[in-house]
Amino acid sequence: MKSLTSRAFLPINTDLFNNPKYQELSCDAMVLYSLYSQRKEVSAFHSQTGDDTFTDSEGIFIYFSNDEASKILRMSVRKISTLRSQLIDCGLISVVRHGLKNFKIYVNTPETTPAETDLVLPWANFDFEKPIKSVPANSASTKSQKLPINQSNNNQTKLLLSRESNESVPQNQSNTPVTPKKSEKDGLNDLSLDSIITRLKDTFSLPVVSRLKVLANNSYTKLKWFSDTIFKAKSQVTKKLLSDARWLYNPASQGATRFESNDLLKRGLESALLQIAEIVYKGKEKIQNKAKFIYVYLRNFMANAVKQYLIDNYELTEDDEIELNVLLSF
């Protein structure tokens, strides 16, 4: 407990700066994430002492209301809500409703920055645990003394230190990785991928786009198929909902069937894609028609997300919910 109570600072994980996955994360969101992380340490301490108040089947969680964060960070509650959505979109936290007013927040560890990444904070990889040898003040090597280098990214760090100390890198020890030349076909595929990914980012969260790229194996044709399949499934769910006169001209229908307004659709899509990958590519049973399975799975997920959105945000009677269940059943 001493490490917690004596802490007079709020650490920020440097992967939030260095990892391209978090490049769109604002500094305010990073500070909020750091608050959540520090609170998680307290929950973890309670768990280690035998108090399971903040532990469930999903792991360790925290209670941290937007009002509480608003007072600490001196921001509006609305601003905190926006920052929390950023963290959810990046996969840094997941939020689950608990009771009528409380929310459980599960704090995830940031993904490690890929080794080949150009670091925004290059000194983040220095290993300060290794002592630096003391050098006499009058030694000629004082000016060229180097900080310890983390071996996972030593090439880039050596280049940085060489520039700062005006040292030259030996010609026979080139630190620049050799990138194989791409064919014209590969170049066009990359360009097409960038084009469709840019469009997808306007609708989906960054984690969803990342999952789609992996599922498509960086193939433009496969990525476009996944994209078209998602929108086709959503279109069928929307058409089915609007086939009922009650929902045809109801403003709630638009909010329920749009990624921009229905967080259950936007956030849940990443989980749906992960489950599809596990079933289709790692499942014990062989799927005969993968394309059909993926479409049906996405359609059913979206139908449930639309239904739950309407139940959570509008006062529906028991009969209304029964009719909605029938309407959105396929």
Side-chain angles (χ1 to χ4, degrees), residues 9 14 18 22 32 45 69 72 127 145 155 189 198 254 278:
F9 57 88
T14 53
N18 286 328
Y22 309 119
L32 179 61
F45 174 81
I72 294 172
D127 185 1
Q145 182 180 358
N155 286 343
N189 181 72
T198 299
Q254 284 194 355
E278 183 178 3

Side-chain angles (χ1 to χ4, degrees), residues 11-12 18 34 83 197 208 231 250 289 298 306:
I12 297 180
N18 286 328
S34 297
L83 297 178
I197 287 172
V208 167
F231 286 108
N250 194 325
N289 190 333
L298 288 171
V306 168

Side-chain angles (χ1 to χ4, degrees), residues 146-162:
K146 299 179 182 179
L147 288 171
I149 298 172
N150 182 295
Q151 294 302 314
S152 66
N153 207 16
N154 58 357
N155 286 343
Q156 180 182 358
T157 312
K158 284 178 181 177
L159 284 174
L160 176 71
L161 292 175
S162 297

Side-chain angles (χ1 to χ4, degrees), residues 80-223:
I80 296 295
S81 179
T82 300
L83 297 178
R84 193 165 79 170
S85 295
Q86 288 184 28
L87 298 177
I88 292 172
D89 290 343
C90 288
L92 289 169
I93 64 170
S94 55
V95 181
V96 178
R97 183 187 293 274
H98 184 227
L100 295 177
K101 296 182 179 180
N102 292 327
F103 290 88
K104 291 181 178 180
I105 301 177
Y106 298 88
V107 184
N108 304 318
T109 303
E111 292 185 11
T112 303
T113 305
E116 67 277 7
T117 304
D118 291 333
L119 302 182
V120 179
L121 298 178
W123 56 86
N125 275 353
F126 287 160
D127 185 1
F128 290 105
E129 295 299 323
K130 296 180 181 179
I132 302 175
K133 293 181 179 180
S134 59
V135 180
N138 59 352
S139 172
S141 61
T142 303
K143 293 183 179 179
S144 61
Q145 182 180 358
K146 299 179 182 179
L147 288 171
I149 298 172
N150 182 295
Q151 294 302 314
S152 66
N153 207 16
N154 58 357
N155 286 343
Q156 180 182 358
T157 312
K158 284 178 181 177
L159 284 174
L160 176 71
L161 292 175
S162 297
R163 295 192 200 103
E164 290 182 348
S165 57
N166 294 321
E167 297 177 28
S168 59
V169 179
Q171 295 299 322
N172 61 344
Q173 296 182 9
S174 174
N175 289 301
T176 305
V178 179
T179 304
K181 292 183 178 179
K182 292 185 177 181
S183 66
E184 183 178 355
K185 183 178 179 181
D186 291 336
L188 289 174
N189 181 72
D190 290 346
L191 192 62
S192 301
L193 269 174
D194 289 341
S195 176
I196 192 171
I197 287 172
T198 299
R199 295 199 303 272
L200 292 177
K201 283 182 178 179
D202 293 336
T203 304
F204 303 138
S205 65
L206 289 177
V208 167
V209 176
S210 298
R211 303 302 183 193
L212 287 173
K213 283 180 63 180
V214 173
L215 285 171
N217 197 23
N218 283 332
S219 164
Y220 169 79
T221 303
K222 292 181 180 179
L223 183 60

